[in-house]
Amino acid sequence: MMKGIFWSRFLLAASLCWGSGAGLMLAAPPEAGPEGAVVHGSANAITVNGDAIFNHVSRLAASSRVAGTQNEYNAVQYIKGELEKYGYTVTLQSFTFPKFTAPSSIQLTIEGTHGLASQQLAPQALQNTQGGDVSGEVVDAKKGTPQDVKGLELKGKIALIEAGQIDTNAKIANVADQGAVAVILYNPSSDTPILDTQFSTLSLPTVSLSGKDAQALKQKTAANGGPRVRLSIQGVAAMAATSYNVVATLRPNTTTTTNDLVTVGAHHDSVSAGPGANDDASGVGIVLEVARAVSGTQRDSEVRFLTFGAEEYGLYGSQAYANSLSSTDIGRFIGHFQLDMVGSKNSGTLGMYTVNGQKNVVTDLGATFASRLSGVIPYGRFGRSDHVPFYQRGVATALYTHSPAEPEYHTRYDTIDKISKDKLANVATIVGNSVAEILSPTTPSFKRYKDFFTPVNYPYDPNPPV
């Protein structure tokens, strides 16, 4: 997943001894918390172990876990086995998703005009691109942000887009919404085309050029109002692949129950370029450790811990799971906590993202429990991770992630040596105690949580992550 924005440094409370990696505990909530927060929590806050999380991440990051491969299935079996050790009822949900074969041929030609000969360029097809044979005028769409494409006439045209600032899929979606028929992507500082590691399924035929070739094309666009080019991507074929979601369920263990449901998720697949230690073995490691800690608590509500496949290809796993939920389960939901890229030493600070940019029970709990460590965390708006399908079903949800993303994102350098036990334990403690608060018999049903829970004040950051 792509994300990024740098917030003020999230300092860790020295009294918690994060650096040791030993068992870590958030003290039982006081009756009155910061900024007037009132929390009626469980008598004993859950304890998480930073070493245990790190060990899970290390095990999962031994190899890449591309959806639909044996390596992904091996990871699924490991996750299933760990959750069963903690007493969960675990099922595997299989689903199919499309994978695209590499093109057999790619051609990008500047069509000759006024007696000029056509000019061949040397493009690189992005992985999972659509195939096709299209012609159109080239339009400079800058970085493809909503602001960049606003007012551009792109219908039937080919968008030239500079890399950076926002996610590649978001760029393509933005120009597609304006009617573009293809995309040419480039990095102005690179002498070669972008050699992508792996993108989700792209919505348009998409190639990349070297910075030099792209700048030349850009100059022609400025001088002549946009040259016409022909883009031909042949031999692309979609094939059905199988991936899995892991679904671990723990029922209430008290005589009186609320019928409430809360879920925590992460995606276990990775890109092909690297082992995905932070993206997203870090999230899975926290899922496993919080599941272990919660299994020892008193609970009057149901909790499910989930790991999703095929996130990197386009949220296929979380979509399959969300679509499988019955209307009865949707009505029982309190919220869904999503964890993605939550452990890199080289990433920024922690934040919470909702699809609509509004606070909800998931962000209220996270900010309040974070405030008991060192200070509140901000929330923002972002719609490109596995929280989206839950939101589309009407579930309160938020993505927890560090931003900006580490420079190793989607590369072979996203390895275990870049992982911080401090960050893993920090996020696990915040999310774990938020979930425990929902599950605690000392709290009423969280359907009306604001009747008995006053969140801390926490800020909105208007900048979307990249």
Side-chain angles (χ1 to χ4, degrees):
M1 196 204 78
M2 176 76 73
K3 52 190 81 71
I5 185 170
F6 193 84
W7 287 295
S8 59
R9 190 176 180 186
F10 195 97
L11 299 176
L12 298 173
S15 60
L16 293 175
C17 300
W18 292 112
S20 67
L24 306 171
M25 183 172 70
L26 182 66
E31 190 63 22
E35 300 180 49
V38 178
V39 183
H40 301 284
S42 56
N44 296 303
I46 69 164
T47 301
V48 299
N49 186 295
D51 284 328
I53 306 171
F54 185 86
N55 289 340
H56 288 310
V57 177
S58 180
R59 174 69 178 268
L60 291 165
S63 64
S64 64
R65 304 173 304 282
V66 176
T69 66
Q70 184 64 44
N71 281 351
E72 185 215 11
Y73 188 72
N74 293 343
V76 163
Q77 291 297 323
Y78 172 76
I79 295 163
K80 179 176 182 287
E82 293 300 296
L83 289 164
E84 287 173 338
K85 289 179 186 177
Y86 309 145
Y88 287 76
T89 300
V90 185
T91 59
L92 299 185
Q93 180 187 45
S94 64
F95 61 92
T96 59
F97 68 99
K99 294 178 79 170
F100 289 87
T101 60
S104 57
S105 68
I106 312 164
Q107 287 187 327
L108 182 62
T109 307
I110 302 177
E111 297 180 345
T113 57
H114 305 296
L116 297 176
S118 61
Q119 179 183 349
Q120 293 284 341
L121 298 176
Q124 167 78 31
L126 270 67
Q127 192 167 342
N128 300 318
T129 181
Q130 301 290 321
D133 192 337
V134 296
S135 294
E137 179 185 337
V138 175
V139 176
D140 183 6
K142 300 181 181 178
K143 291 191 175 181
T145 67
Q147 296 77 15
D148 289 337
V149 304
K150 185 177 181 180
L152 282 183
E153 177 51 59
L154 288 170
K155 188 173 183 180
K157 300 181 180 179
I158 296 174
L160 178 66
I161 306 178
E162 182 179 339
Q165 191 169 343
I166 65 171
D167 178 67
T168 296
N169 284 278
K171 296 172 186 285
I172 296 172
N174 290 339
V175 297
D177 288 345
Q178 298 292 107
V181 294
V183 169
I184 301 170
L185 189 69
Y186 71 98
N187 181 345
S189 61
S190 174
D191 293 332
T192 61
I194 294 170
L195 303 175
D196 66 300
T197 55
Q198 186 164 340
F199 290 100
S200 304
T201 301
L202 304 179
S203 57
L204 292 176
T206 304
V207 296
S208 65
L209 286 176
S210 68
K212 180 180 178 180
D213 282 350
Q215 292 293 0
L217 187 56
K218 191 173 180 180
Q219 289 172 4
K220 290 178 183 291
T221 300
N224 305 316
R228 286 186 62 85
V229 303
R230 178 182 176 185
L231 174 62
S232 176
I233 303 176
Q234 300 299 319
V236 173
M239 58 182 180
T242 300
S243 183
Y244 300 87
N245 296 327
V246 182
V247 181
T249 302
L250 199 63
R251 307 288 182 184
N253 58 1
T254 55
T255 55
T256 303
T257 64
T258 64
N259 202 38
D260 289 348
L261 170 65
V262 60
T263 56
V264 184
H267 72 88
H268 54 248
D269 67 312
S270 75
V271 298
S272 58
N278 195 45
D279 186 15
D280 185 29
S282 64
V284 176
I286 291 176
V287 164
L288 291 173
E289 176 60 7
V290 172
R292 181 204 61 77
V294 164
S295 68
T297 64
Q298 290 292 302
R299 306 172 303 278
D300 64 3
S301 305
E302 181 179 329
V303 61
R304 297 178 191 170
F305 288 90
L306 315 166
T307 70
F308 305 117
E311 188 269 354
E312 299 291 358
Y313 281 95
L315 312 184
Y316 287 107
S318 54
Q319 191 72 64
Y321 179 76
N323 289 345
S324 74
L325 291 167
S326 67
S327 57
T328 299
D329 271 351
I330 293 296
R332 297 172 55 210
F333 252 102
I334 300 302
H336 173 72
F337 294 76
Q338 184 65 31
L339 303 161
D340 198 347
M341 299 171 65
V342 283
S344 175
K345 297 174 182 177
N346 301 324
S347 60
T349 51
L350 183 64
M352 306 170 292
Y353 294 93
T354 60
V355 177
N356 60 4
Q358 297 177 9
K359 295 179 178 179
N360 58 36
V361 62
V362 176
T363 61
D364 282 349
L365 283 165
T368 301
F369 279 102
S371 73
R372 293 159 183 252
L373 301 180
S374 58
V376 297
I377 51 179
Y379 74 107
R381 183 175 183 173
F382 185 63
R384 278 205 54 80
S385 190
D386 285 317
H387 60 313
V388 173
F390 289 85
Y391 170 80
Q392 292 170 338
R393 291 297 309 271
V395 175
T397 182
L399 167 70
Y400 284 70
T401 187
H402 293 107
S403 185
E406 68 281 1
E408 298 83 19
Y409 167 74
H410 275 196
T411 73
R412 63 189 178 95
Y413 301 107
D414 182 8
T415 49
I416 189 64
D417 58 302
K418 312 299 192 313
I419 296 298
S420 164
K421 292 181 185 179
D422 293 354
K423 284 185 172 180
L424 294 174
N426 177 27
V427 178
T429 302
I430 293 168
V431 172
N433 280 277
S434 296
V435 172
E437 183 77 1
I438 295 172
L439 300 176
S440 173
T442 65
T443 58
S445 170
F446 261 74
K447 288 291 184 184
R448 300 178 60 188
Y449 75 102
K450 288 190 176 178
D451 290 346
F452 59 90
F453 182 94
T454 304
V456 296
N457 294 320
Y458 55 106
Y460 176 77
D461 194 301
N463 300 300
V466 293

